């Protein structure tokens, strides 16, 4: 039963982050997709978006806020969110570095704000709906070798070196945090995060902001 959030947290690798130049290269090469969802089926086609820069690469900063936007649906499904190091070769005291998984209950349209533990290494953030009857998938050996499907996940890369775009998104997420338990106008969300082509009049005029513990 998913009445409560299922949460499993394991610290990521505590190693020195790569130089700023290396992270700059990742920004150019990472095949991110901040908007997930496909075109077939009520569950698979529901809009899902990471509130990150259009490059889908984001440095959360000291506040470490992350935002997920879910669109309207007649039959909402639970949302699975995973975090894992871009390179699985990081180690902690000789042990393989692990990731984190969180499942959020099925919910109405809205924004969910999460607080992530400190990011020490480039980390993949993937979000997708758990659709009824969907086959189980396994994590590929190569973090960049994800398989496109009818409902590809929203996929972003979290880094430590912030850009100007990151600073603007950080400030917007901090402002959203002030609306936890309340709502914000759909126009503000569309404009702030560059999603005007996706947030239509079919959305509620006010979008709830959820901040689970």
């Amino acid at each position: 039963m998913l009445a409560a959030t299922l949460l499993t947290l394991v610290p990521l690798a505590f190693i020195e982050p790569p130089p700023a130049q290396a992270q700059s290269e990742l920004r150019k090469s990472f095949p991110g997709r901040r908007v997930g969802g496909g075109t077939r089926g009520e569950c698979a086609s529901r809009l899902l978006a990471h509130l990150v820069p259009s490059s889908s690469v984001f440095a959360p900063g000291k506040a470490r806020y992350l935002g997920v936007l879910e669109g309207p649906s007649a039959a909402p499904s639970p949302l699975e969110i995973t975090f894992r190091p871009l390179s699985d070769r990081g180690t902690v005291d000789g042990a393989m570095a692990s990731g984190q998984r969180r499942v959020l209950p099925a919910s109405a349209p809205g924004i969910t704000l999460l607080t992530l533990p400190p990011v020490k290494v480039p980390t993949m953030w993937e979000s997708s709906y758990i659709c009824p009857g969907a086959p189980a998938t396994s994590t590929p050996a190569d973090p960049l070798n994800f398989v496109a499907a009818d409902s590809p996940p929203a996929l972003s890369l979290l880094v430590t070196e912030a850009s100007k775009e990151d600073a603007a998104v950080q400030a917007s997420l901090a402002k959203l945090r002030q609306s936890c338990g309340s709502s914000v106008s759909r126009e503000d969300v569309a404009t702030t995060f560059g999603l005007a082509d996706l947030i239509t009049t079919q959305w509620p005029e006010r979008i709830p902001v959820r901040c689970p513990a």
Side-chain angles (χ1 to χ4, degrees), residues 12-26:
L12 297 175
F14 286 94
I15 61 178
E16 288 298 320
Q21 182 178 356
Q23 293 200 27
S24 177
E25 291 301 317
L26 284 175

Side-chain angles (χ1 to χ4, degrees), residues 47-205:
L47 184 138
L48 169 64
H50 289 169
L51 299 183
V52 298
S54 58
S55 65
S56 205
V57 178
F58 178 54
K62 293 182 178 180
R64 308 193 307 277
Y65 296 145
L66 297 180
V68 182
L69 174 68
E70 296 181 76
S73 174
S77 293
L79 179 64
E80 180 180 37
I81 299 173
T82 60
F83 302 95
R84 56 194 171 91
L86 179 63
S87 170
D88 289 332
R89 292 187 294 272
T91 59
V92 182
D93 294 333
M96 181 68 71
S98 299
Q100 308 163 24
R101 175 178 180 267
R102 185 165 188 167
V103 176
L104 302 178
S107 58
I111 294 170
T112 300
L113 291 182
L114 306 171
T115 302
L116 184 71
V119 173
K120 300 295 183 179
V121 296
T123 299
M124 296 217 354
W125 168 24
E126 192 170 281
S127 302
S128 59
Y129 294 112
I130 303 175
C131 297
T137 57
S138 58
T139 300
D142 181 355
L144 293 181
N145 187 27
F146 61 93
V147 179
D150 290 334
S151 181
L155 179 68
S156 298
L157 179 66
L158 304 178
V159 296
T160 58
E161 298 291 333
S163 68
K164 291 182 179 179
E165 283 186 315
D166 293 336
V169 172
Q170 290 171 12
S172 297
L173 292 175
K175 184 176 180 180
L176 279 176
R177 186 78 181 180
Q178 299 174 10
S179 297
C180 285
S182 183
S183 63
V184 291
S185 75
R186 70 182 181 211
E187 289 80 8
D188 285 349
V189 174
T191 301
T192 299
F193 296 100
L195 298 170
D197 57 331
L198 299 175
I199 299 179
T200 67
T201 54
Q202 295 180 344
W203 288 59
E205 292 186 2

